[in-house]
Amino acid sequence: MAVALNIKSNSKELNQKFKNFRSILPRVIETGIKQAGFQLVSIIRTKTLKGIDFRGKPFAPYSEGYLKHLQKIGYPTTVDLFYSGKMLGALTPDMVKKTGKYKVTLAFSRAEERDKALWNQVLGKPKREFFNFNNKTKDIIQKSFNRFVEKELRKFKIWV
């Protein structure tokens, strides 16, 4: 008695899917990284306009002289680093640049606004650190990135 066993394999189809995967994955990751940069810009702007630093703590109050100046010209006296809107306006998604493999850098589009940010972030007393992120923000962006990559890979129907 003899038994014959015929097995059909889809190895050619699987091989093609893995080739597609290898070509698609880097592009998906690069797009996801840029989107993460855009999301960080949005988070920085939102926190700054709420008057909180990257850690979620309120900014140090303005000096008495500066408060009087703001009141005199009729501007809000809340500490949100928003005087003319130019500094945060210069922090745009256009300034999210790919600067290495799986790396983006955020920057200000104008030198004058970059100097203001440097003063607020580093040189001024008291410091108002807004241009940074903490672990909570990193986790939020990481989850968004993972969801984006999974969604994009599902579009390409790579898996059998």
PDB file of all heavy atoms in Angstrom, residues 125-157:
ATOM      1  N   LYS A 125      15.988  84.721  33.022  1.00  0.00           N
ATOM      2  CA  LYS A 125      15.709  84.404  34.427  1.00  0.00           C
ATOM      3  C   LYS A 125      14.334  84.953  34.734  1.00  0.00           C
ATOM      4  O   LYS A 125      14.134  86.154  34.583  1.00  0.00           O
ATOM      5  CB  LYS A 125      16.741  85.039  35.351  1.00  0.00           C
ATOM      6  CG  LYS A 125      18.149  84.573  35.145  1.00  0.00           C
ATOM      7  CD  LYS A 125      18.374  83.231  35.769  1.00  0.00           C
ATOM      8  CE  LYS A 125      19.860  82.910  35.672  1.00  0.00           C
ATOM      9  NZ  LYS A 125      20.180  81.582  35.442  1.00  0.00           N
ATOM     10  N   PRO A 126      13.388  84.207  35.134  1.00  0.00           N
ATOM     11  CA  PRO A 126      13.390  82.754  35.263  1.00  0.00           C
ATOM     12  C   PRO A 126      13.233  82.081  33.899  1.00  0.00           C
ATOM     13  O   PRO A 126      12.716  82.659  32.956  1.00  0.00           O
ATOM     14  CB  PRO A 126      12.159  82.484  36.129  1.00  0.00           C
ATOM     15  CG  PRO A 126      11.222  83.595  35.797  1.00  0.00           C
ATOM     16  CD  PRO A 126      12.105  84.795  35.525  1.00  0.00           C
ATOM     17  N   LYS A 127      13.684  80.852  33.839  1.00  0.00           N
ATOM     18  CA  LYS A 127      13.558  80.077  32.608  1.00  0.00           C
ATOM     19  C   LYS A 127      12.116  79.597  32.457  1.00  0.00           C
ATOM     20  O   LYS A 127      11.467  79.233  33.427  1.00  0.00           O
ATOM     21  CB  LYS A 127      14.497  78.872  32.633  1.00  0.00           C
ATOM     22  CG  LYS A 127      15.951  79.250  32.611  1.00  0.00           C
ATOM     23  CD  LYS A 127      16.829  78.033  32.687  1.00  0.00           C
ATOM     24  CE  LYS A 127      18.272  78.488  32.751  1.00  0.00           C
ATOM     25  NZ  LYS A 127      19.187  77.429  33.052  1.00  0.00           N
ATOM     26  N   ARG A 128      11.672  79.616  31.231  1.00  0.00           N
ATOM     27  CA  ARG A 128      10.336  79.081  30.901  1.00  0.00           C
ATOM     28  C   ARG A 128      10.547  78.033  29.816  1.00  0.00           C
ATOM     29  O   ARG A 128      10.497  78.335  28.639  1.00  0.00           O
ATOM     30  CB  ARG A 128       9.412  80.211  30.459  1.00  0.00           C
ATOM     31  CG  ARG A 128       9.164  81.198  31.586  1.00  0.00           C
ATOM     32  CD  ARG A 128       8.191  82.292  31.188  1.00  0.00           C
ATOM     33  NE  ARG A 128       7.975  83.179  32.313  1.00  0.00           N
ATOM     34  CZ  ARG A 128       8.617  84.335  32.480  1.00  0.00           C
ATOM     35  NH1 ARG A 128       9.498  84.744  31.594  1.00  0.00           N
ATOM     36  NH2 ARG A 128       8.362  85.082  33.532  1.00  0.00           N
ATOM     37  N   GLU A 129      10.795  76.809  30.257  1.00  0.00           N
ATOM     38  CA  GLU A 129      11.173  75.724  29.344  1.00  0.00           C
ATOM     39  C   GLU A 129       9.942  75.135  28.655  1.00  0.00           C
ATOM     40  O   GLU A 129       9.220  74.345  29.230  1.00  0.00           O
ATOM     41  CB  GLU A 129      11.934  74.649  30.111  1.00  0.00           C
ATOM     42  CG  GLU A 129      13.213  75.168  30.726  1.00  0.00           C
ATOM     43  CD  GLU A 129      13.909  74.153  31.589  1.00  0.00           C
ATOM     44  OE1 GLU A 129      13.284  73.681  32.554  1.00  0.00           O
ATOM     45  OE2 GLU A 129      15.062  73.825  31.269  1.00  0.00           O
ATOM     46  N   PHE A 130       9.756  75.535  27.416  1.00  0.00           N
ATOM     47  CA  PHE A 130       8.600  75.076  26.658  1.00  0.00           C
ATOM     48  C   PHE A 130       8.999  74.177  25.484  1.00  0.00           C
ATOM     49  O   PHE A 130       8.201  73.387  25.008  1.00  0.00           O
ATOM     50  CB  PHE A 130       7.808  76.276  26.120  1.00  0.00           C
ATOM     51  CG  PHE A 130       8.525  77.030  25.028  1.00  0.00           C
ATOM     52  CD1 PHE A 130       8.190  76.819  23.708  1.00  0.00           C
ATOM     53  CD2 PHE A 130       9.531  77.929  25.327  1.00  0.00           C
ATOM     54  CE1 PHE A 130       8.855  77.501  22.695  1.00  0.00           C
ATOM     55  CE2 PHE A 130      10.195  78.614  24.334  1.00  0.00           C
ATOM     56  CZ  PHE A 130       9.861  78.397  23.013  1.00  0.00           C
ATOM     57  N   PHE A 131      10.215  74.287  25.024  1.00  0.00           N
ATOM     58  CA  PHE A 131      10.661  73.614  23.807  1.00  0.00           C
ATOM     59  C   PHE A 131      11.373  72.309  24.163  1.00  0.00           C
ATOM     60  O   PHE A 131      12.590  72.186  24.069  1.00  0.00           O
ATOM     61  CB  PHE A 131      11.586  74.551  23.018  1.00  0.00           C
ATOM     62  CG  PHE A 131      11.813  74.141  21.599  1.00  0.00           C
ATOM     63  CD1 PHE A 131      10.778  74.149  20.687  1.00  0.00           C
ATOM     64  CD2 PHE A 131      13.065  73.764  21.165  1.00  0.00           C
ATOM     65  CE1 PHE A 131      10.976  73.782  19.370  1.00  0.00           C
ATOM     66  CE2 PHE A 131      13.281  73.393  19.855  1.00  0.00           C
ATOM     67  CZ  PHE A 131      12.239  73.402  18.960  1.00  0.00           C
ATOM     68  N   ASN A 132      10.592  71.340  24.614  1.00  0.00           N
ATOM     69  CA  ASN A 132      11.126  70.053  25.030  1.00  0.00           C
ATOM     70  C   ASN A 132       9.941  69.109  25.181  1.00  0.00           C
ATOM     71  O   ASN A 132       8.805  69.488  24.904  1.00  0.00           O
ATOM     72  CB  ASN A 132      11.882  70.196  26.353  1.00  0.00           C
ATOM     73  CG  ASN A 132      12.951  69.148  26.539  1.00  0.00           C
ATOM     74  OD1 ASN A 132      12.871  68.060  25.965  1.00  0.00           O
ATOM     75  ND2 ASN A 132      13.945  69.456  27.344  1.00  0.00           N
ATOM     76  N   PHE A 133      10.174  67.899  25.631  1.00  0.00           N
ATOM     77  CA  PHE A 133       9.075  66.978  25.903  1.00  0.00           C
ATOM     78  C   PHE A 133       9.478  66.031  27.017  1.00  0.00           C
ATOM     79  O   PHE A 133      10.649  65.802  27.268  1.00  0.00           O
ATOM     80  CB  PHE A 133       8.653  66.191  24.648  1.00  0.00           C
ATOM     81  CG  PHE A 133       9.743  65.353  24.037  1.00  0.00           C
ATOM     82  CD1 PHE A 133       9.878  64.023  24.373  1.00  0.00           C
ATOM     83  CD2 PHE A 133      10.611  65.900  23.117  1.00  0.00           C
ATOM     84  CE1 PHE A 133      10.870  63.243  23.810  1.00  0.00           C
ATOM     85  CE2 PHE A 133      11.614  65.132  22.544  1.00  0.00           C
ATOM     86  CZ  PHE A 133      11.740  63.804  22.888  1.00  0.00           C
ATOM     87  N   ASN A 134       8.460  65.491  27.700  1.00  0.00           N
ATOM     88  CA  ASN A 134       8.700  64.564  28.802  1.00  0.00           C
ATOM     89  C   ASN A 134       8.295  63.153  28.378  1.00  0.00           C
ATOM     90  O   ASN A 134       7.879  62.927  27.237  1.00  0.00           O
ATOM     91  CB  ASN A 134       7.954  65.018  30.059  1.00  0.00           C
ATOM     92  CG  ASN A 134       6.454  65.121  29.834  1.00  0.00           C
ATOM     93  OD1 ASN A 134       5.914  64.621  28.855  1.00  0.00           O
ATOM     94  ND2 ASN A 134       5.775  65.780  30.754  1.00  0.00           N
ATOM     95  N   ASN A 135       8.408  62.203  29.293  1.00  0.00           N
ATOM     96  CA  ASN A 135       8.089  60.805  28.968  1.00  0.00           C
ATOM     97  C   ASN A 135       6.615  60.612  28.622  1.00  0.00           C
ATOM     98  O   ASN A 135       6.283  59.786  27.775  1.00  0.00           O
ATOM     99  CB  ASN A 135       8.482  59.875  30.118  1.00  0.00           C
ATOM    100  CG  ASN A 135       9.978  59.677  30.187  1.00  0.00           C
ATOM    101  OD1 ASN A 135      10.678  59.818  29.190  1.00  0.00           O
ATOM    102  ND2 ASN A 135      10.487  59.367  31.363  1.00  0.00           N
ATOM    103  N   LYS A 136       5.747  61.357  29.276  1.00  0.00           N
ATOM    104  CA  LYS A 136       4.310  61.236  28.974  1.00  0.00           C
ATOM    105  C   LYS A 136       4.043  61.632  27.525  1.00  0.00           C
ATOM    106  O   LYS A 136       3.325  60.936  26.805  1.00  0.00           O
ATOM    107  CB  LYS A 136       3.500  62.111  29.933  1.00  0.00           C
ATOM    108  CG  LYS A 136       2.013  62.001  29.757  1.00  0.00           C
ATOM    109  CD  LYS A 136       1.274  62.860  30.764  1.00  0.00           C
ATOM    110  CE  LYS A 136      -0.229  62.793  30.538  1.00  0.00           C
ATOM    111  NZ  LYS A 136      -0.942  63.685  31.442  1.00  0.00           N
ATOM    112  N   THR A 137       4.624  62.745  27.090  1.00  0.00           N
ATOM    113  CA  THR A 137       4.474  63.186  25.705  1.00  0.00           C
ATOM    114  C   THR A 137       5.095  62.176  24.755  1.00  0.00           C
ATOM    115  O   THR A 137       4.522  61.854  23.705  1.00  0.00           O
ATOM    116  CB  THR A 137       5.120  64.574  25.517  1.00  0.00           C
ATOM    117  OG1 THR A 137       4.498  65.491  26.403  1.00  0.00           O
ATOM    118  CG2 THR A 137       4.992  65.062  24.095  1.00  0.00           C
ATOM    119  N   LYS A 138       6.258  61.650  25.136  1.00  0.00           N
ATOM    120  CA  LYS A 138       6.920  60.645  24.293  1.00  0.00           C
ATOM    121  C   LYS A 138       6.024  59.419  24.115  1.00  0.00           C
ATOM    122  O   LYS A 138       5.886  58.892  23.012  1.00  0.00           O
ATOM    123  CB  LYS A 138       8.254  60.234  24.910  1.00  0.00           C
ATOM    124  CG  LYS A 138       9.051  59.252  24.057  1.00  0.00           C
ATOM    125  CD  LYS A 138      10.285  58.790  24.784  1.00  0.00           C
ATOM    126  CE  LYS A 138       9.939  57.465  25.376  1.00  0.00           C
ATOM    127  NZ  LYS A 138      10.889  56.747  26.102  1.00  0.00           N
ATOM    128  N   ASP A 139       5.394  58.985  25.193  1.00  0.00           N
ATOM    129  CA  ASP A 139       4.501  57.819  25.122  1.00  0.00           C
ATOM    130  C   ASP A 139       3.298  58.081  24.224  1.00  0.00           C
ATOM    131  O   ASP A 139       2.879  57.211  23.460  1.00  0.00           O
ATOM    132  CB  ASP A 139       4.038  57.403  26.521  1.00  0.00           C
ATOM    133  CG  ASP A 139       5.168  56.839  27.379  1.00  0.00           C
ATOM    134  OD1 ASP A 139       6.225  56.471  26.815  1.00  0.00           O
ATOM    135  OD2 ASP A 139       4.991  56.781  28.612  1.00  0.00           O
ATOM    136  N   ILE A 140       2.737  59.278  24.311  1.00  0.00           N
ATOM    137  CA  ILE A 140       1.603  59.640  23.464  1.00  0.00           C
ATOM    138  C   ILE A 140       2.003  59.597  21.991  1.00  0.00           C
ATOM    139  O   ILE A 140       1.303  59.026  21.147  1.00  0.00           O
ATOM    140  CB  ILE A 140       1.069  61.048  23.842  1.00  0.00           C
ATOM    141  CG1 ILE A 140       0.395  61.004  25.207  1.00  0.00           C
ATOM    142  CG2 ILE A 140       0.117  61.590  22.774  1.00  0.00           C
ATOM    143  CD1 ILE A 140       0.106  62.369  25.801  1.00  0.00           C
ATOM    144  N   ILE A 141       3.144  60.188  21.689  1.00  0.00           N
ATOM    145  CA  ILE A 141       3.614  60.225  20.308  1.00  0.00           C
ATOM    146  C   ILE A 141       3.971  58.814  19.834  1.00  0.00           C
ATOM    147  O   ILE A 141       3.682  58.434  18.695  1.00  0.00           O
ATOM    148  CB  ILE A 141       4.807  61.197  20.163  1.00  0.00           C
ATOM    149  CG1 ILE A 141       4.298  62.627  20.372  1.00  0.00           C
ATOM    150  CG2 ILE A 141       5.480  61.056  18.814  1.00  0.00           C
ATOM    151  CD1 ILE A 141       5.381  63.666  20.451  1.00  0.00           C
ATOM    152  N   GLN A 142       4.572  58.010  20.699  1.00  0.00           N
ATOM    153  CA  GLN A 142       4.938  56.631  20.349  1.00  0.00           C
ATOM    154  C   GLN A 142       3.696  55.806  19.996  1.00  0.00           C
ATOM    155  O   GLN A 142       3.684  55.062  19.014  1.00  0.00           O
ATOM    156  CB  GLN A 142       5.687  55.967  21.503  1.00  0.00           C
ATOM    157  CG  GLN A 142       6.141  54.547  21.229  1.00  0.00           C
ATOM    158  CD  GLN A 142       7.251  54.485  20.204  1.00  0.00           C
ATOM    159  OE1 GLN A 142       8.240  55.188  20.342  1.00  0.00           O
ATOM    160  NE2 GLN A 142       7.095  53.680  19.185  1.00  0.00           N
ATOM    161  N   LYS A 143       2.636  55.950  20.792  1.00  0.00           N
ATOM    162  CA  LYS A 143       1.398  55.212  20.510  1.00  0.00           C
ATOM    163  C   LYS A 143       0.805  55.648  19.175  1.00  0.00           C
ATOM    164  O   LYS A 143       0.338  54.812  18.390  1.00  0.00           O
ATOM    165  CB  LYS A 143       0.383  55.412  21.636  1.00  0.00           C
ATOM    166  CG  LYS A 143       0.725  54.629  22.886  1.00  0.00           C
ATOM    167  CD  LYS A 143      -0.279  54.888  23.990  1.00  0.00           C
ATOM    168  CE  LYS A 143       0.154  54.189  25.260  1.00  0.00           C
ATOM    169  NZ  LYS A 143      -0.718  54.496  26.396  1.00  0.00           N
ATOM    170  N   SER A 144       0.823  56.939  18.909  1.00  0.00           N
ATOM    171  CA  SER A 144       0.324  57.447  17.629  1.00  0.00           C
ATOM    172  C   SER A 144       1.136  56.896  16.470  1.00  0.00           C
ATOM    173  O   SER A 144       0.587  56.506  15.438  1.00  0.00           O
ATOM    174  CB  SER A 144       0.423  58.964  17.590  1.00  0.00           C
ATOM    175  OG  SER A 144      -0.754  59.567  17.931  1.00  0.00           O
ATOM    176  N   PHE A 145       2.447  56.888  16.638  1.00  0.00           N
ATOM    177  CA  PHE A 145       3.340  56.369  15.604  1.00  0.00           C
ATOM    178  C   PHE A 145       3.041  54.890  15.336  1.00  0.00           C
ATOM    179  O   PHE A 145       2.913  54.473  14.185  1.00  0.00           O
ATOM    180  CB  PHE A 145       4.795  56.551  16.042  1.00  0.00           C
ATOM    181  CG  PHE A 145       5.786  55.882  15.128  1.00  0.00           C
ATOM    182  CD1 PHE A 145       6.177  56.487  13.948  1.00  0.00           C
ATOM    183  CD2 PHE A 145       6.327  54.645  15.457  1.00  0.00           C
ATOM    184  CE1 PHE A 145       7.081  55.875  13.100  1.00  0.00           C
ATOM    185  CE2 PHE A 145       7.226  54.025  14.616  1.00  0.00           C
ATOM    186  CZ  PHE A 145       7.609  54.640  13.438  1.00  0.00           C
ATOM    187  N   ASN A 146       2.916  54.102  16.394  1.00  0.00           N
ATOM    188  CA  ASN A 146       2.639  52.671  16.239  1.00  0.00           C
ATOM    189  C   ASN A 146       1.314  52.434  15.525  1.00  0.00           C
ATOM    190  O   ASN A 146       1.223  51.578  14.639  1.00  0.00           O
ATOM    191  CB  ASN A 146       2.649  51.962  17.593  1.00  0.00           C
ATOM    192  CG  ASN A 146       4.037  51.864  18.180  1.00  0.00           C
ATOM    193  OD1 ASN A 146       5.036  52.013  17.489  1.00  0.00           O
ATOM    194  ND2 ASN A 146       4.112  51.646  19.481  1.00  0.00           N
ATOM    195  N   ARG A 147       0.283  53.192  15.914  1.00  0.00           N
ATOM    196  CA  ARG A 147      -1.027  53.053  15.252  1.00  0.00           C
ATOM    197  C   ARG A 147      -0.918  53.402  13.774  1.00  0.00           C
ATOM    198  O   ARG A 147      -1.491  52.731  12.917  1.00  0.00           O
ATOM    199  CB  ARG A 147      -2.067  53.956  15.919  1.00  0.00           C
ATOM    200  CG  ARG A 147      -2.671  53.361  17.176  1.00  0.00           C
ATOM    201  CD  ARG A 147      -3.911  54.112  17.629  1.00  0.00           C
ATOM    202  NE  ARG A 147      -3.711  55.545  17.791  1.00  0.00           N
ATOM    203  CZ  ARG A 147      -3.365  56.137  18.932  1.00  0.00           C
ATOM    204  NH1 ARG A 147      -3.196  55.423  20.026  1.00  0.00           N
ATOM    205  NH2 ARG A 147      -3.213  57.439  18.990  1.00  0.00           N
ATOM    206  N   PHE A 148      -0.171  54.462  13.457  1.00  0.00           N
ATOM    207  CA  PHE A 148      -0.007  54.879  12.068  1.00  0.00           C
ATOM    208  C   PHE A 148       0.676  53.776  11.255  1.00  0.00           C
ATOM    209  O   PHE A 148       0.213  53.424  10.168  1.00  0.00           O
ATOM    210  CB  PHE A 148       0.815  56.172  11.981  1.00  0.00           C
ATOM    211  CG  PHE A 148       1.210  56.522  10.576  1.00  0.00           C
ATOM    212  CD1 PHE A 148       0.289  57.088   9.713  1.00  0.00           C
ATOM    213  CD2 PHE A 148       2.492  56.255  10.112  1.00  0.00           C
ATOM    214  CE1 PHE A 148       0.642  57.392   8.403  1.00  0.00           C
ATOM    215  CE2 PHE A 148       2.850  56.553   8.811  1.00  0.00           C
ATOM    216  CZ  PHE A 148       1.928  57.123   7.954  1.00  0.00           C
ATOM    217  N   VAL A 149       1.776  53.231  11.772  1.00  0.00           N
ATOM    218  CA  VAL A 149       2.511  52.190  11.045  1.00  0.00           C
ATOM    219  C   VAL A 149       1.625  50.963  10.833  1.00  0.00           C
ATOM    220  O   VAL A 149       1.564  50.412   9.725  1.00  0.00           O
ATOM    221  CB  VAL A 149       3.830  51.823  11.767  1.00  0.00           C
ATOM    222  CG1 VAL A 149       4.466  50.587  11.163  1.00  0.00           C
ATOM    223  CG2 VAL A 149       4.799  52.997  11.730  1.00  0.00           C
ATOM    224  N   GLU A 150       0.923  50.539  11.869  1.00  0.00           N
ATOM    225  CA  GLU A 150       0.043  49.369  11.733  1.00  0.00           C
ATOM    226  C   GLU A 150      -1.039  49.613  10.685  1.00  0.00           C
ATOM    227  O   GLU A 150      -1.313  48.753   9.848  1.00  0.00           O
ATOM    228  CB  GLU A 150      -0.605  49.036  13.086  1.00  0.00           C
ATOM    229  CG  GLU A 150       0.364  48.455  14.089  1.00  0.00           C
ATOM    230  CD  GLU A 150      -0.216  48.347  15.489  1.00  0.00           C
ATOM    231  OE1 GLU A 150      -1.418  48.672  15.680  1.00  0.00           O
ATOM    232  OE2 GLU A 150       0.528  47.953  16.396  1.00  0.00           O
ATOM    233  N   LYS A 151      -1.629  50.801  10.713  1.00  0.00           N
ATOM    234  CA  LYS A 151      -2.681  51.144   9.757  1.00  0.00           C
ATOM    235  C   LYS A 151      -2.141  51.149   8.326  1.00  0.00           C
ATOM    236  O   LYS A 151      -2.772  50.606   7.410  1.00  0.00           O
ATOM    237  CB  LYS A 151      -3.254  52.517  10.110  1.00  0.00           C
ATOM    238  CG  LYS A 151      -4.381  52.978   9.237  1.00  0.00           C
ATOM    239  CD  LYS A 151      -4.889  54.330   9.714  1.00  0.00           C
ATOM    240  CE  LYS A 151      -5.104  55.205   8.513  1.00  0.00           C
ATOM    241  NZ  LYS A 151      -5.177  56.600   8.795  1.00  0.00           N
ATOM    242  N   GLU A 152      -0.971  51.731   8.141  1.00  0.00           N
ATOM    243  CA  GLU A 152      -0.384  51.793   6.800  1.00  0.00           C
ATOM    244  C   GLU A 152      -0.031  50.401   6.280  1.00  0.00           C
ATOM    245  O   GLU A 152      -0.245  50.102   5.108  1.00  0.00           O
ATOM    246  CB  GLU A 152       0.858  52.686   6.788  1.00  0.00           C
ATOM    247  CG  GLU A 152       0.554  54.152   6.931  1.00  0.00           C
ATOM    248  CD  GLU A 152      -0.309  54.683   5.804  1.00  0.00           C
ATOM    249  OE1 GLU A 152       0.075  54.546   4.629  1.00  0.00           O
ATOM    250  OE2 GLU A 152      -1.382  55.242   6.104  1.00  0.00           O
ATOM    251  N   LEU A 153       0.492  49.555   7.141  1.00  0.00           N
ATOM    252  CA  LEU A 153       0.857  48.210   6.696  1.00  0.00           C
ATOM    253  C   LEU A 153      -0.387  47.384   6.361  1.00  0.00           C
ATOM    254  O   LEU A 153      -0.354  46.560   5.449  1.00  0.00           O
ATOM    255  CB  LEU A 153       1.722  47.515   7.742  1.00  0.00           C
ATOM    256  CG  LEU A 153       3.117  48.115   7.931  1.00  0.00           C
ATOM    257  CD1 LEU A 153       3.888  47.355   8.988  1.00  0.00           C
ATOM    258  CD2 LEU A 153       3.895  48.167   6.628  1.00  0.00           C
ATOM    259  N   ARG A 154      -1.473  47.622   7.082  1.00  0.00           N
ATOM    260  CA  ARG A 154      -2.726  46.927   6.746  1.00  0.00           C
ATOM    261  C   ARG A 154      -3.221  47.333   5.365  1.00  0.00           C
ATOM    262  O   ARG A 154      -3.771  46.523   4.628  1.00  0.00           O
ATOM    263  CB  ARG A 154      -3.809  47.212   7.794  1.00  0.00           C
ATOM    264  CG  ARG A 154      -3.730  46.305   9.012  1.00  0.00           C
ATOM    265  CD  ARG A 154      -5.002  46.370   9.848  1.00  0.00           C
ATOM    266  NE  ARG A 154      -5.333  47.704  10.305  1.00  0.00           N
ATOM    267  CZ  ARG A 154      -4.882  48.257  11.436  1.00  0.00           C
ATOM    268  NH1 ARG A 154      -4.096  47.568  12.242  1.00  0.00           N
ATOM    269  NH2 ARG A 154      -5.232  49.473  11.776  1.00  0.00           N
ATOM    270  N   LYS A 155      -3.005  48.587   4.979  1.00  0.00           N
ATOM    271  CA  LYS A 155      -3.428  49.076   3.652  1.00  0.00           C
ATOM    272  C   LYS A 155      -2.756  48.292   2.527  1.00  0.00           C
ATOM    273  O   LYS A 155      -3.334  48.078   1.487  1.00  0.00           O
ATOM    274  CB  LYS A 155      -3.074  50.540   3.470  1.00  0.00           C
ATOM    275  CG  LYS A 155      -3.973  51.508   4.159  1.00  0.00           C
ATOM    276  CD  LYS A 155      -3.510  52.905   3.822  1.00  0.00           C
ATOM    277  CE  LYS A 155      -4.208  53.955   4.635  1.00  0.00           C
ATOM    278  NZ  LYS A 155      -3.662  55.299   4.354  1.00  0.00           N
ATOM    279  N   PHE A 156      -1.519  47.900   2.759  1.00  0.00           N
ATOM    280  CA  PHE A 156      -0.758  47.226   1.720  1.00  0.00           C
ATOM    281  C   PHE A 156      -1.021  45.711   1.682  1.00  0.00           C
ATOM    282  O   PHE A 156      -0.464  45.010   0.844  1.00  0.00           O
ATOM    283  CB  PHE A 156       0.744  47.500   1.885  1.00  0.00           C
ATOM    284  CG  PHE A 156       1.097  48.914   1.558  1.00  0.00           C
ATOM    285  CD1 PHE A 156       1.349  49.816   2.560  1.00  0.00           C
ATOM    286  CD2 PHE A 156       1.151  49.352   0.252  1.00  0.00           C
ATOM    287  CE1 PHE A 156       1.665  51.137   2.274  1.00  0.00           C
ATOM    288  CE2 PHE A 156       1.465  50.656  -0.062  1.00  0.00           C
ATOM    289  CZ  PHE A 156       1.724  51.563   0.951  1.00  0.00           C
ATOM    290  N   LYS A 157      -1.828  45.227   2.589  1.00  0.00           N
ATOM    291  CA  LYS A 157      -2.219  43.819   2.630  1.00  0.00           C
ATOM    292  C   LYS A 157      -1.013  42.894   2.479  1.00  0.00           C
ATOM    293  O   LYS A 157      -0.983  42.000   1.645  1.00  0.00           O
ATOM    294  CB  LYS A 157      -3.250  43.514   1.556  1.00  0.00           C
ATOM    295  CG  LYS A 157      -4.520  44.299   1.767  1.00  0.00           C
ATOM    296  CD  LYS A 157      -5.524  44.030   0.696  1.00  0.00           C
ATOM    297  CE  LYS A 157      -6.748  44.895   0.966  1.00  0.00           C
ATOM    298  NZ  LYS A 157      -7.694  44.865  -0.084  1.00  0.00           N
TER     299      LYS A 157
END
